[in-house]
mmCIF file with all atom_site columns, all heavy atoms in Angstrom:
data_model
loop_
_atom_site.group_PDB
_atom_site.id
_atom_site.type_symbol
_atom_site.label_atom_id
_atom_site.label_alt_id
_atom_site.label_comp_id
_atom_site.label_asym_id
_atom_site.label_entity_id
_atom_site.label_seq_id
_atom_site.pdbx_PDB_ins_code
_atom_site.Cartn_x
_atom_site.Cartn_y
_atom_site.Cartn_z
_atom_site.occupancy
_atom_site.B_iso_or_equiv
_atom_site.pdbx_formal_charge
_atom_site.auth_seq_id
_atom_site.auth_comp_id
_atom_site.auth_asym_id
_atom_site.auth_atom_id
_atom_site.pdbx_PDB_model_num
ATOM 1   N N   . SER A 1 4   ? 2.221    8.541   1.605  1.00 0.00 ? 1201 SER A N   1
ATOM 2   C CA  . SER A 1 4   ? 3.166    9.646   1.479  1.00 0.00 ? 1201 SER A CA  1
ATOM 3   C C   . SER A 1 4   ? 3.326    10.335  2.817  1.00 0.00 ? 1201 SER A C   1
ATOM 4   O O   . SER A 1 4   ? 2.388    10.429  3.598  1.00 0.00 ? 1201 SER A O   1
ATOM 5   C CB  . SER A 1 4   ? 2.666    10.659  0.438  1.00 0.00 ? 1201 SER A CB  1
ATOM 6   O OG  . SER A 1 4   ? 1.412    11.167  0.820  1.00 0.00 ? 1201 SER A OG  1
ATOM 7   N N   . PRO A 1 42  ? -17.487  -17.960 10.256 1.00 0.00 ? 1239 PRO A N   1
ATOM 8   C CA  . PRO A 1 42  ? -16.471  -18.432 9.303  1.00 0.00 ? 1239 PRO A CA  1
ATOM 9   C C   . PRO A 1 42  ? -16.739  -17.923 7.886  1.00 0.00 ? 1239 PRO A C   1
ATOM 10  O O   . PRO A 1 42  ? -17.888  -17.629 7.516  1.00 0.00 ? 1239 PRO A O   1
ATOM 11  C CB  . PRO A 1 42  ? -16.608  -19.958 9.376  1.00 0.00 ? 1239 PRO A CB  1
ATOM 12  C CG  . PRO A 1 42  ? -17.271  -20.225 10.688 1.00 0.00 ? 1239 PRO A CG  1
ATOM 13  C CD  . PRO A 1 42  ? -18.182  -19.064 10.930 1.00 0.00 ? 1239 PRO A CD  1
ATOM 14  N N   . THR A 1 58  ? -30.212  -5.905  11.182 1.00 0.00 ? 1255 THR A N   1
ATOM 15  C CA  . THR A 1 58  ? -29.331  -5.114  12.051 1.00 0.00 ? 1255 THR A CA  1
ATOM 16  C C   . THR A 1 58  ? -28.373  -4.273  11.223 1.00 0.00 ? 1255 THR A C   1
ATOM 17  O O   . THR A 1 58  ? -28.162  -3.082  11.499 1.00 0.00 ? 1255 THR A O   1
ATOM 18  C CB  . THR A 1 58  ? -28.533  -6.045  12.979 1.00 0.00 ? 1255 THR A CB  1
ATOM 19  O OG1 . THR A 1 58  ? -29.438  -6.804  13.781 1.00 0.00 ? 1255 THR A OG1 1
ATOM 20  C CG2 . THR A 1 58  ? -27.604  -5.245  13.884 1.00 0.00 ? 1255 THR A CG2 1
ATOM 21  N N   . LYS A 1 65  ? -28.478  4.523   10.061 1.00 0.00 ? 1262 LYS A N   1
ATOM 22  C CA  . LYS A 1 65  ? -27.996  5.454   11.081 1.00 0.00 ? 1262 LYS A CA  1
ATOM 23  C C   . LYS A 1 65  ? -26.599  5.993   10.763 1.00 0.00 ? 1262 LYS A C   1
ATOM 24  O O   . LYS A 1 65  ? -26.037  6.755   11.542 1.00 0.00 ? 1262 LYS A O   1
ATOM 25  C CB  . LYS A 1 65  ? -27.967  4.758   12.442 1.00 0.00 ? 1262 LYS A CB  1
ATOM 26  C CG  . LYS A 1 65  ? -29.320  4.262   12.919 1.00 0.00 ? 1262 LYS A CG  1
ATOM 27  C CD  . LYS A 1 65  ? -30.291  5.390   13.141 1.00 0.00 ? 1262 LYS A CD  1
ATOM 28  C CE  . LYS A 1 65  ? -31.613  4.877   13.693 1.00 0.00 ? 1262 LYS A CE  1
ATOM 29  N NZ  . LYS A 1 65  ? -32.590  5.978   13.893 1.00 0.00 ? 1262 LYS A NZ  1
ATOM 30  N N   . LYS A 1 66  ? -26.057  5.578   9.616  1.00 0.00 ? 1263 LYS A N   1
ATOM 31  C CA  . LYS A 1 66  ? -24.737  6.030   9.147  1.00 0.00 ? 1263 LYS A CA  1
ATOM 32  C C   . LYS A 1 66  ? -23.599  5.592   10.065 1.00 0.00 ? 1263 LYS A C   1
ATOM 33  O O   . LYS A 1 66  ? -22.534  6.212   10.092 1.00 0.00 ? 1263 LYS A O   1
ATOM 34  C CB  . LYS A 1 66  ? -24.726  7.550   8.966  1.00 0.00 ? 1263 LYS A CB  1
ATOM 35  C CG  . LYS A 1 66  ? -25.716  8.027   7.911  1.00 0.00 ? 1263 LYS A CG  1
ATOM 36  C CD  . LYS A 1 66  ? -25.644  9.528   7.719  1.00 0.00 ? 1263 LYS A CD  1
ATOM 37  C CE  . LYS A 1 66  ? -26.638  9.974   6.646  1.00 0.00 ? 1263 LYS A CE  1
ATOM 38  N NZ  . LYS A 1 66  ? -26.611  11.438  6.426  1.00 0.00 ? 1263 LYS A NZ  1
ATOM 39  N N   . ASP A 1 75  ? -18.009  -3.259  1.113  1.00 0.00 ? 1272 ASP A N   1
ATOM 40  C CA  . ASP A 1 75  ? -17.201  -4.418  1.509  1.00 0.00 ? 1272 ASP A CA  1
ATOM 41  C C   . ASP A 1 75  ? -18.079  -5.549  2.040  1.00 0.00 ? 1272 ASP A C   1
ATOM 42  O O   . ASP A 1 75  ? -17.767  -6.730  1.852  1.00 0.00 ? 1272 ASP A O   1
ATOM 43  C CB  . ASP A 1 75  ? -16.190  -4.012  2.584  1.00 0.00 ? 1272 ASP A CB  1
ATOM 44  C CG  . ASP A 1 75  ? -15.111  -3.084  2.042  1.00 0.00 ? 1272 ASP A CG  1
ATOM 45  O OD1 . ASP A 1 75  ? -14.835  -3.148  0.822  1.00 0.00 ? 1272 ASP A OD1 1
ATOM 46  O OD2 . ASP A 1 75  ? -14.553  -2.296  2.834  1.00 0.00 ? 1272 ASP A OD2 1
ATOM 47  N N   . VAL A 1 84  ? -17.496  -11.842 -0.699 1.00 0.00 ? 1281 VAL A N   1
ATOM 48  C CA  . VAL A 1 84  ? -17.344  -11.112 0.555  1.00 0.00 ? 1281 VAL A CA  1
ATOM 49  C C   . VAL A 1 84  ? -16.306  -11.802 1.437  1.00 0.00 ? 1281 VAL A C   1
ATOM 50  O O   . VAL A 1 84  ? -16.247  -13.029 1.522  1.00 0.00 ? 1281 VAL A O   1
ATOM 51  C CB  . VAL A 1 84  ? -18.696  -11.003 1.299  1.00 0.00 ? 1281 VAL A CB  1
ATOM 52  C CG1 . VAL A 1 84  ? -19.221  -12.367 1.716  1.00 0.00 ? 1281 VAL A CG1 1
ATOM 53  C CG2 . VAL A 1 84  ? -18.560  -10.094 2.516  1.00 0.00 ? 1281 VAL A CG2 1
ATOM 54  N N   . SER A 1 85  ? -15.456  -10.989 2.088  1.00 0.00 ? 1282 SER A N   1
ATOM 55  C CA  . SER A 1 85  ? -14.399  -11.538 2.929  1.00 0.00 ? 1282 SER A CA  1
ATOM 56  C C   . SER A 1 85  ? -14.072  -10.555 4.044  1.00 0.00 ? 1282 SER A C   1
ATOM 57  O O   . SER A 1 85  ? -14.002  -9.340  3.821  1.00 0.00 ? 1282 SER A O   1
ATOM 58  C CB  . SER A 1 85  ? -13.142  -11.809 2.096  1.00 0.00 ? 1282 SER A CB  1
ATOM 59  O OG  . SER A 1 85  ? -12.055  -12.152 2.938  1.00 0.00 ? 1282 SER A OG  1
ATOM 60  N N   . ILE A 1 157 ? -1.629   -4.799  26.027 1.00 0.00 ? 1354 ILE A N   1
ATOM 61  C CA  . ILE A 1 157 ? -2.167   -5.052  24.690 1.00 0.00 ? 1354 ILE A CA  1
ATOM 62  C C   . ILE A 1 157 ? -1.844   -6.473  24.236 1.00 0.00 ? 1354 ILE A C   1
ATOM 63  O O   . ILE A 1 157 ? -2.708   -7.183  23.695 1.00 0.00 ? 1354 ILE A O   1
ATOM 64  C CB  . ILE A 1 157 ? -1.610   -4.023  23.682 1.00 0.00 ? 1354 ILE A CB  1
ATOM 65  C CG1 . ILE A 1 157 ? -2.081   -2.616  24.050 1.00 0.00 ? 1354 ILE A CG1 1
ATOM 66  C CG2 . ILE A 1 157 ? -2.045   -4.373  22.259 1.00 0.00 ? 1354 ILE A CG2 1
ATOM 67  C CD1 . ILE A 1 157 ? -1.353   -1.504  23.308 1.00 0.00 ? 1354 ILE A CD1 1
ATOM 68  N N   . ASN A 1 175 ? 9.057    -9.788  17.617 1.00 0.00 ? 1372 ASN A N   1
ATOM 69  C CA  . ASN A 1 175 ? 9.823    -9.129  16.557 1.00 0.00 ? 1372 ASN A CA  1
ATOM 70  C C   . ASN A 1 175 ? 9.488    -7.644  16.460 1.00 0.00 ? 1372 ASN A C   1
ATOM 71  O O   . ASN A 1 175 ? 10.371   -6.802  16.249 1.00 0.00 ? 1372 ASN A O   1
ATOM 72  C CB  . ASN A 1 175 ? 9.565    -9.809  15.214 1.00 0.00 ? 1372 ASN A CB  1
ATOM 73  C CG  . ASN A 1 175 ? 10.154   -11.209 15.143 1.00 0.00 ? 1372 ASN A CG  1
ATOM 74  O OD1 . ASN A 1 175 ? 11.139   -11.519 15.842 1.00 0.00 ? 1372 ASN A OD1 1
ATOM 75  N ND2 . ASN A 1 175 ? 9.564    -12.069 14.312 1.00 0.00 ? 1372 ASN A ND2 1
ATOM 76  N N   . GLY A 1 179 ? 12.456   -5.156  16.796 1.00 0.00 ? 1376 GLY A N   1
ATOM 77  C CA  . GLY A 1 179 ? 12.936   -4.926  15.430 1.00 0.00 ? 1376 GLY A CA  1
ATOM 78  C C   . GLY A 1 179 ? 13.107   -3.447  15.127 1.00 0.00 ? 1376 GLY A C   1
ATOM 79  O O   . GLY A 1 179 ? 12.535   -2.575  15.786 1.00 0.00 ? 1376 GLY A O   1
ATOM 80  N N   . ARG A 1 192 ? -2.183   5.545   10.534 1.00 0.00 ? 1389 ARG A N   1
ATOM 81  C CA  . ARG A 1 192 ? -3.219   4.506   10.567 1.00 0.00 ? 1389 ARG A CA  1
ATOM 82  C C   . ARG A 1 192 ? -3.948   4.498   11.903 1.00 0.00 ? 1389 ARG A C   1
ATOM 83  O O   . ARG A 1 192 ? -5.176   4.356   11.956 1.00 0.00 ? 1389 ARG A O   1
ATOM 84  C CB  . ARG A 1 192 ? -2.592   3.134   10.295 1.00 0.00 ? 1389 ARG A CB  1
ATOM 85  C CG  . ARG A 1 192 ? -2.201   2.902   8.842  1.00 0.00 ? 1389 ARG A CG  1
ATOM 86  C CD  . ARG A 1 192 ? -1.679   1.492   8.634  1.00 0.00 ? 1389 ARG A CD  1
ATOM 87  N NE  . ARG A 1 192 ? -2.701   0.481   8.945  1.00 0.00 ? 1389 ARG A NE  1
ATOM 88  C CZ  . ARG A 1 192 ? -2.448   -0.830  8.979  1.00 0.00 ? 1389 ARG A CZ  1
ATOM 89  N NH1 . ARG A 1 192 ? -1.213   -1.272  8.749  1.00 0.00 ? 1389 ARG A NH1 1
ATOM 90  N NH2 . ARG A 1 192 ? -3.410   -1.680  9.247  1.00 0.00 ? 1389 ARG A NH2 1
ATOM 91  N N   . ARG A 1 252 ? -84.662  6.768   44.035 1.00 0.00 ? 1449 ARG A N   1
ATOM 92  C CA  . ARG A 1 252 ? -85.757  7.735   44.014 1.00 0.00 ? 1449 ARG A CA  1
ATOM 93  C C   . ARG A 1 252 ? -86.969  7.166   43.307 1.00 0.00 ? 1449 ARG A C   1
ATOM 94  O O   . ARG A 1 252 ? -88.118  7.373   43.730 1.00 0.00 ? 1449 ARG A O   1
ATOM 95  C CB  . ARG A 1 252 ? -85.290  9.021   43.317 1.00 0.00 ? 1449 ARG A CB  1
ATOM 96  C CG  . ARG A 1 252 ? -86.352  10.105  43.229 1.00 0.00 ? 1449 ARG A CG  1
ATOM 97  C CD  . ARG A 1 252 ? -86.877  10.474  44.586 1.00 0.00 ? 1449 ARG A CD  1
ATOM 98  N NE  . ARG A 1 252 ? -87.971  11.431  44.516 1.00 0.00 ? 1449 ARG A NE  1
ATOM 99  C CZ  . ARG A 1 252 ? -88.909  11.560  45.428 1.00 0.00 ? 1449 ARG A CZ  1
ATOM 100 N NH1 . ARG A 1 252 ? -88.892  10.772  46.517 1.00 0.00 ? 1449 ARG A NH1 1
ATOM 101 N NH2 . ARG A 1 252 ? -89.859  12.462  45.300 1.00 0.00 ? 1449 ARG A NH2 1
ATOM 102 N N   . ASN A 1 268 ? -108.251 3.323   48.006 1.00 0.00 ? 1465 ASN A N   1
ATOM 103 C CA  . ASN A 1 268 ? -109.121 2.140   48.063 1.00 0.00 ? 1465 ASN A CA  1
ATOM 104 C C   . ASN A 1 268 ? -109.830 2.049   49.409 1.00 0.00 ? 1465 ASN A C   1
ATOM 105 O O   . ASN A 1 268 ? -111.019 1.728   49.500 1.00 0.00 ? 1465 ASN A O   1
ATOM 106 C CB  . ASN A 1 268 ? -108.298 0.877   47.822 1.00 0.00 ? 1465 ASN A CB  1
ATOM 107 C CG  . ASN A 1 268 ? -107.822 0.784   46.371 1.00 0.00 ? 1465 ASN A CG  1
ATOM 108 O OD1 . ASN A 1 268 ? -108.430 1.396   45.494 1.00 0.00 ? 1465 ASN A OD1 1
ATOM 109 N ND2 . ASN A 1 268 ? -106.748 0.027   46.143 1.00 0.00 ? 1465 ASN A ND2 1
ATOM 110 N N   . VAL A 1 278 ? -122.548 4.778   53.193 1.00 0.00 ? 1475 VAL A N   1
ATOM 111 C CA  . VAL A 1 278 ? -123.768 4.940   52.397 1.00 0.00 ? 1475 VAL A CA  1
ATOM 112 C C   . VAL A 1 278 ? -124.755 3.840   52.731 1.00 0.00 ? 1475 VAL A C   1
ATOM 113 O O   . VAL A 1 278 ? -125.963 4.065   52.914 1.00 0.00 ? 1475 VAL A O   1
ATOM 114 C CB  . VAL A 1 278 ? -123.436 4.941   50.900 1.00 0.00 ? 1475 VAL A CB  1
ATOM 115 C CG1 . VAL A 1 278 ? -124.699 4.863   50.060 1.00 0.00 ? 1475 VAL A CG1 1
ATOM 116 C CG2 . VAL A 1 278 ? -122.643 6.190   50.552 1.00 0.00 ? 1475 VAL A CG2 1
ATOM 117 N N   . TYR A 1 301 ? -162.499 -13.479 69.611 1.00 0.00 ? 1498 TYR A N   1
ATOM 118 C CA  . TYR A 1 301 ? -163.695 -13.656 68.769 1.00 0.00 ? 1498 TYR A CA  1
ATOM 119 C C   . TYR A 1 301 ? -164.858 -14.108 69.646 1.00 0.00 ? 1498 TYR A C   1
ATOM 120 O O   . TYR A 1 301 ? -164.693 -14.960 70.535 1.00 0.00 ? 1498 TYR A O   1
ATOM 121 C CB  . TYR A 1 301 ? -163.428 -14.745 67.703 1.00 0.00 ? 1498 TYR A CB  1
ATOM 122 C CG  . TYR A 1 301 ? -162.397 -14.285 66.635 1.00 0.00 ? 1498 TYR A CG  1
ATOM 123 C CD1 . TYR A 1 301 ? -161.077 -14.626 66.776 1.00 0.00 ? 1498 TYR A CD1 1
ATOM 124 C CD2 . TYR A 1 301 ? -162.855 -13.528 65.570 1.00 0.00 ? 1498 TYR A CD2 1
ATOM 125 C CE1 . TYR A 1 301 ? -160.171 -14.224 65.824 1.00 0.00 ? 1498 TYR A CE1 1
ATOM 126 C CE2 . TYR A 1 301 ? -161.947 -13.142 64.633 1.00 0.00 ? 1498 TYR A CE2 1
ATOM 127 C CZ  . TYR A 1 301 ? -160.599 -13.476 64.731 1.00 0.00 ? 1498 TYR A CZ  1
ATOM 128 O OH  . TYR A 1 301 ? -159.713 -13.083 63.786 1.00 0.00 ? 1498 TYR A OH  1
#
Side-chain angles (χ1 to χ4, degrees):
S1201 59
T1255 300
K1262 299 297 183 181
K1263 298 182 179 180
D1272 291 334
V1281 64
S1282 171
I1354 296 168
N1372 291 334
R1389 286 184 62 187
R1449 180 57 185 154
N1465 290 337
V1475 170
Y1498 291 96

